[in-house]
Amino acid sequence: MTREEAIRQIILDYCESNNILITQFAKRCNISKSYISKINLKQFGKLGISMTYLELIAKGLNMSMVDLQILIEKYQNCNHQNKEETKKELILCEINDKLRNFNVEDLEIVHSIISNVNHKDLNILHSFLKNMR
């Protein structure tokens, strides 16, 4: 899988897991709908996807450029065989990005909640969050 194909698949997986259209993702990234369509249709051109657009895509995915680069490499290496694993990667990157903004006290609260929650409670919370979107 090429770098551009990996980026395309990351975007498609993100849209699927967040139940949004690719055009909504384009708006979120501040990228034109036509450019996102070109990515979706694998019309990257000879030079591929520029770093400027990659930064906008990373911002739309709620992750840093470093996290996006790591995710791209994972997609390239695994050829997207395990879709559940890649969805987990996207979710973890989003969580990781949001946790960076927390102070120590907030992180301690999050840690205490996570350590005291069982599998059933996590499923309920996940369903609740999914229905909020």
Side-chain angles (χ1 to χ4, degrees):
M1 176 180 291
T2 67
R3 176 180 169 271
E4 284 72 20
E5 289 170 339
I7 294 166
R8 174 186 175 271
Q9 195 59 53
I10 289 167
I11 292 169
L12 292 175
D13 287 347
Y14 180 84
C15 290
E16 182 183 328
S17 66
N18 288 286
N19 200 23
I20 62 171
L21 300 172
I22 198 160
T23 54
Q24 292 170 308
F25 179 76
K27 187 174 182 178
R28 179 180 181 152
C29 295
N30 203 19
I31 296 175
S32 70
K33 294 176 186 177
S34 63
Y35 191 80
I36 283 289
S37 290
K38 286 181 180 181
I39 292 173
N40 191 33
L41 297 171
K42 299 181 182 180
Q43 298 173 346
F44 317 115
K46 291 181 181 179
L47 299 176
I49 300 170
S50 72
M51 289 301 285
T52 303
Y53 281 108
L54 204 56
E55 288 174 0
L56 293 171
I57 291 168
K59 183 179 176 185
L61 293 168
N62 295 317
M63 62 177 69
S64 69
M65 275 294 289
V66 172
D67 289 337
L68 180 56
Q69 293 289 1
I70 292 168
L71 189 58
I72 291 168
E73 288 176 18
K74 286 182 181 180
Y75 268 70
Q76 286 179 292
N77 293 333
C78 76
N79 279 329
H80 198 61
Q81 293 172 355
N82 188 345
K83 202 167 191 172
E84 284 302 311
E85 265 318 295
T86 53
K87 280 185 181 180
K88 286 181 186 178
E89 286 291 329
L90 284 171
I91 292 168
L92 287 173
C93 285
E94 191 170 341
I95 291 169
N96 185 33
D97 187 60
K98 289 181 181 179
L99 287 176
R100 286 186 182 136
N101 297 326
F102 283 20
N103 61 34
V104 174
E105 292 170 355
D106 291 339
L107 289 172
E108 288 172 349
I109 292 169
V110 170
H111 180 266
S112 68
I113 292 169
I114 291 172
S115 29
N116 293 319
V117 172
N118 62 34
H119 185 68
K120 182 181 175 187
D121 292 338
L122 282 176
N123 284 336
I124 292 169
L125 180 60
H126 178 69
S127 296
F128 177 73
L129 290 173
K130 205 171 189 180
N131 290 328
M132 284 180 64
R133 292 185 189 145

